Amino acid sequence: IELHIMPDTDPSVISLVERYQKANVNEKISLFKAMREKRAYRQILKLYATETDTRLRSELQASVANIATLAARERLVAGDAAGARELLELAPADARNLMALAAFHRANGTLEEELNRAKSSKAKGASAWQLALHRAAGNFSEAQAAAVEADEPLLAATMAMLAGDPVPWLKFHQTTRRPGQDADIYTALALKRWQDGDLRKSDLETAVKLLTSRNQTNRALAFSAMFLLGEPEPAHAAFTKSSPLDAFLYFEALERVPEALSALGLDPDNPDYAGWAATRFKRILDEPDASDAPTTELVALANFLENRGLNDDLAKAFDPQLERLAKKDTDAFTGFLGSLFGSRLVRSSGVVGPLMRSGTAWAGDNEERWESLIIAVFGDEDEYLASWKWLAELKPDATRKERLAAMLALSGYGPDPDHLRDAWLALAWAAIDKADANQQAPLLRHLSSLIGQTGDAATSLKIRSLRPPGEPVVDELDGLYLLQCSAAGRWDDAANLVLKLLSNKQDRDSNNTTDPNIRPDLHAYAAACLRRAGHADEAAVHDAWVEKLALGDAAAYVRIGHGYALGGDYARCSLWWDRAVCEASPATDNYATILNTHAADLVERGLWQRAAAESEALAQLYSGANFISSSPLAFLRLRVQADESRAFSLLANDRDKALVLLE
């Protein structure tokens, strides 16, 4: 009875439970995994609760993780709140499960009552339970005190930071070391900056020296520190030397064009684009397997020249070299043209000039070559070649070059001063309107493939509405359709989509078949869409389910916030993000993501002191990032966010200091 073995219990679950009671340590671990696959959650929790072997409990803990939340959600959906509470109370009394139980009390209106009971408790673990309850209530100062009593220094520092004081957070992390780090580079300086104001040149000497350290870890951390502290200038020379292409992209984004060109080895006053490009193409021609670096650098320069309207310079630098490449290696030639439109290795918004000049000249009157260009740019899916041929039917007198320009415009590549996209869309819809029902389906697929990456919600929805009932859709429950409906203000359609997701018995975010009704974020999306569609009473039902099912799952809280934000319900969005940042474990890898989301929301809401503190804490977390794979612009933006927020928080009581900081 205690193991909830009923007459209708799956016999395989009964067998696993019976085997578990006679098994050794290693067998018990594998049996727990098998029970989890069978979703025998209550049995797992009960068996775990009866284990007295400390080592075995530690070994089994991974198999028990999140079990209580999943099981409790299923009981809640079945209308068994008492059973849900029992399961949550059976779970190991770690921070994650205590948060789930505290959130259960909040949802059921018993949080205050439970807090009063916990305050007078002398039981072992009472302070940890008080901590969870205060976090669920959003009581920062009380939670901080409870964390100190529970010997949870990181949580104590986190609660202080969330209340608006980052100093305890910085001091806590000042005592830690990252793998491979010889010395603290960022945190001590950030702490001094927060407490004393501006840093002096002498304060930065150690960090500046480490910019050229032979220790790669310390060098990367020094770069991160300089940008996060808002002191990038001393790092620019070393940054440019260590990563010229990244430096080029960085300076160009800041509109510091002379420094950008210098980073690539170009004379800012008289840049020899053609000579520079020739040296890179020579490596592609003569050392084809040596490195991707020449292509990456050439694509960056091509984007720079075309985006700034320097089309003559682009032609002089690239066209002669591409002609040589086409003669020597056609695969390398078409591959390079394709890289101008982005690839796994190269980011590019699409550079059309070389394609429209060198590519079309190479293709000439050879249809196979034209198809090679289409494949290079758009991919080798059959639908793109079919669309290419369809454009010839739409306008028989169009040249191949005009059709290629039309295909680029329809797909959103390059500028479109002649409004080719509008003209060819009109031709496409005219052809679709003339076709009978059987002929329309392939034409709609052609158009869908062409506009699929453009974010054109109106055209995508129109295509979907014309598909015959039997025509397959890539994924009728996809998130893109939800976004398109919301963009077009079709809230009833958006609501129906989410309700359909909720009624679908396969949870698409899980490896197992699970009832999507246990996902609080889906209920948040449903509530937001229903409210925008004018169905307030139905929305309230789903709001209640969100509250019931959340159960301390901070990652789900973030998704819940996104669900409400989709419908413009920013008050509910902020509420759930407030809870996420308070109830999440600051020791987990995803805490920076949660903190980043919440800090930006605090800025939007004008809660300056808290925004400043969270931004400082976020900078400290980012200071351990691998600088080369991170954006220095993101680091600088975070510094601006932290300082701007702090300045506004000081404005009322220390106007002079605030204005200095803003300046």
Side-chain angles (χ1 to χ4, degrees):
I1 293 172
E2 287 185 353
L3 286 166
H4 205 68
I5 301 296
M6 311 292 283
D8 60 348
T9 299
D10 183 343
S12 64
V13 171
I14 298 175
S15 174
L16 290 168
V17 170
E18 289 176 341
R19 288 168 57 194
Y20 180 90
Q21 292 171 320
K22 302 172 185 177
N24 61 36
V25 172
N26 292 331
E27 290 171 338
K28 285 184 174 183
I29 294 171
S30 63
L31 287 169
F32 255 27
K33 291 179 181 176
M35 283 187 231
R36 184 166 185 139
E37 289 176 4
K38 293 288 184 181
R39 296 166 64 202
Y41 300 146
R42 184 186 292 267
Q43 289 80 17
I44 290 174
L45 291 169
K46 189 64 181 178
L47 288 169
Y48 184 84
T50 60
E51 282 292 353
T52 57
D53 186 326
T54 303
R55 188 176 74 84
L56 177 58
R57 285 176 65 86
S58 176
E59 293 279 350
L60 292 172
Q61 193 148 9
S63 299
V64 186
N66 299 330
I67 286 284
T69 300
L70 290 171
R73 283 172 174 164
E74 290 189 351
R75 297 316 309 153
L76 288 167
V77 169
D80 182 10
R85 177 173 177 173
E86 178 190 355
L87 289 165
L88 292 169
E89 290 175 340
L90 273 176
D94 56 28
R96 171 69 184 82
N97 288 314
L98 290 176
M99 279 309 319
L101 183 57
F104 174 88
H105 282 292
R106 180 180 62 214
N108 288 275
T110 55
L111 181 61
E112 200 64 37
E113 175 187 336
E114 194 64 27
L115 251 176
N116 291 331
R117 185 181 294 115
K119 287 175 183 176
S120 59
S121 173
K122 302 297 182 183
K124 181 181 179 181
S127 55
W129 179 223
Q130 286 182 43
L131 171 58
L133 291 166
H134 282 304
R135 290 168 74 188
N139 301 331
F140 296 134
S141 59
E142 293 90 340
Q144 183 181 0
V148 171
E149 188 175 338
D151 194 25
E152 293 281 1
L154 176 56
L155 279 174
T158 302
M159 293 304 112
M161 177 266 293
L162 295 177
D165 181 9
V167 170
W169 172 281
L170 293 172
K171 286 184 175 179
F172 174 86
H173 287 91
Q174 192 178 10
T175 63
T176 64
R177 286 284 186 275
R178 297 182 174 88
Q181 182 179 349
D182 295 334
D184 182 276
I185 300 172
Y186 174 81
T187 311
L189 292 172
L191 187 60
K192 179 176 176 59
R193 191 178 186 279
W194 181 272
Q195 292 178 316
D196 301 339
D198 287 340
L199 295 171
R200 296 186 298 273
K201 187 176 180 179
S202 58
D203 295 325
L204 299 170
E205 285 178 357
T206 300
V208 171
K209 287 179 182 177
L210 288 172
L211 292 171
T212 54
S213 169
R214 292 183 179 181
N215 182 312
Q216 185 176 354
T217 299
N218 283 339
R219 190 167 65 248
L221 292 173
F223 276 120
S224 299
M226 297 303 287
F227 284 92
L228 286 166
L229 290 166
E231 301 283 353
E233 297 297 331
H236 283 163
F239 177 34
T240 301
K241 183 178 180 180
S242 67
S243 187
L245 182 58
D246 288 330
F248 167 76
L249 297 171
Y250 164 79
F251 285 122
E252 188 203 352
L254 291 175
E255 291 294 338
R256 294 169 64 162
V257 174
E259 288 156 290
L261 295 176
S262 293
L264 286 185
L266 286 157
D267 181 353
D269 298 320
N270 187 26
D272 179 11
Y273 299 120
W276 183 94
T279 61
R280 273 70 184 171
F281 273 108
K282 187 176 187 301
R283 288 180 61 191
I284 295 174
L285 285 160
D286 299 337
E287 307 167 33
D289 299 322
S291 169
D292 295 312
T295 297
T296 306
E297 292 178 352
L298 285 165
V299 170
L301 183 67
N303 273 279
F304 170 83
L305 294 173
E306 186 161 281
N307 290 342
R308 292 176 179 272
L310 301 173
N311 297 310
D312 289 342
D313 289 315
L314 178 62
K316 291 175 184 176
F318 281 75
D319 292 1
Q321 303 301 329
L322 287 172
E323 184 179 352
R324 290 178 60 220
L325 187 60
K327 289 177 180 177
K328 181 170 182 178
D329 187 338
T330 56
D331 288 340
F333 171 72
T334 55
F336 180 83
L337 291 177
S339 70
L340 292 173
F341 293 84
S343 69
R344 181 175 59 85
L345 297 171
V346 179
R347 289 178 293 176
S348 175
S349 57
V351 183
V352 303
L355 173 70
M356 295 303 292
R357 290 188 305 273
S358 300
T360 59
W362 168 78
D365 290 325
N366 187 320
E367 182 60 24
E368 286 187 10
R369 288 187 172 187
W370 281 97
E371 290 183 0
S372 295
L373 292 181
I374 298 302
I375 291 171
V377 174
F378 297 97
D380 58 3
E381 291 88 350
D382 293 341
E383 194 55 56
Y384 289 120
L385 287 178
S387 300
W388 164 250
K389 294 171 182 176
W390 180 47
L391 294 186
E393 298 173 14
L394 292 180
K395 193 175 182 182
D397 61 340
T399 65
R400 290 188 179 97
K401 190 171 183 177
E402 288 171 337
R403 282 159 54 199
L404 177 57
M407 203 162 172
L408 291 168
L410 286 167
S411 300
Y413 285 124
D416 185 17
D418 298 323
H419 304 287
L420 291 177
R421 189 173 196 276
D422 294 339
W424 282 83
L425 270 179
L427 290 173
W429 283 120
I432 292 168
D433 291 341
K434 288 178 184 177
D436 61 33
N438 292 327
Q439 295 171 324
Q440 274 190 348
L443 305 185
L444 291 169
R445 284 198 298 272
H446 298 336
L447 185 56
S448 180
S449 71
L450 290 171
I451 62 98
Q453 303 301 317
T454 64
D456 183 347
T459 302
S460 296
L461 290 170
K462 187 176 179 180
I463 291 170
R464 186 183 285 260
S465 70
L466 291 172
R467 281 197 175 105
E471 176 73 12
V473 180
V474 175
D475 183 356
E476 64 176 358
L477 302 179
D478 63 19
L480 179 59
Y481 179 49
L482 177 64
L483 294 175
Q484 290 168 345
C485 287
S486 65
R490 289 168 47 172
W491 293 106
D492 276 306
D493 289 339
N496 288 334
L497 172 65
V498 184
L499 294 175
K500 191 173 183 179
L501 274 167
L502 284 166
S503 66
N504 185 33
K505 293 306 176 186
Q506 176 70 31
D507 182 346
R508 310 174 78 82
D509 280 359
S510 172
N511 293 323
N512 300 316
T513 301
T514 309
D515 185 352
N517 275 294
I518 72 171
R519 283 183 53 188
D521 57 311
L522 287 183
H523 288 284
Y525 278 101
C529 295
L530 286 165
R531 191 168 282 110
R532 288 298 297 271
H535 310 300
D537 291 342
E538 292 178 60
V541 171
H542 289 279
D543 290 331
W545 278 115
V546 173
E547 194 72 46
K548 287 180 188 177
L549 298 173
L551 296 182
D553 184 350
Y557 289 9
V558 174
R559 297 193 297 271
I560 289 168
H562 286 305
Y564 282 120
L566 180 85
D569 192 342
Y570 300 121
R572 284 184 175 85
C573 169
S574 294
L575 168 67
W576 283 101
W577 286 351
D578 283 345
R579 290 174 174 176
V581 80
C582 187
E583 296 178 32
S585 168
T588 55
D589 291 339
N590 70 337
Y591 193 68
T593 302
I594 295 173
L595 197 61
N596 183 40
T597 299
H598 190 251
D601 188 51
L602 291 176
V603 171
E604 289 293 325
R605 291 151 66 188
L607 299 176
W608 303 118
Q609 185 172 344
R610 293 178 60 198
E614 289 190 19
S615 299
E616 286 290 343
L618 188 60
Q620 189 280 323
L621 289 175
Y622 284 173
S623 70
N626 181 348
F627 177 81
I628 302 303
S629 64
S630 306
S631 170
L633 291 172
F635 289 173
L636 285 180
R637 176 181 288 170
L638 181 56
R639 172 47 49 202
V640 170
Q641 177 175 294
D643 286 356
E644 178 186 72
S645 299
R646 191 179 188 199
F648 286 140
S649 74
L650 294 170
L651 202 54
N653 299 319
D654 194 344
R655 186 177 181 83
D656 290 341
K657 185 175 181 179
L659 292 177
V660 168
L661 191 53
L662 284 172
E663 180 65 28

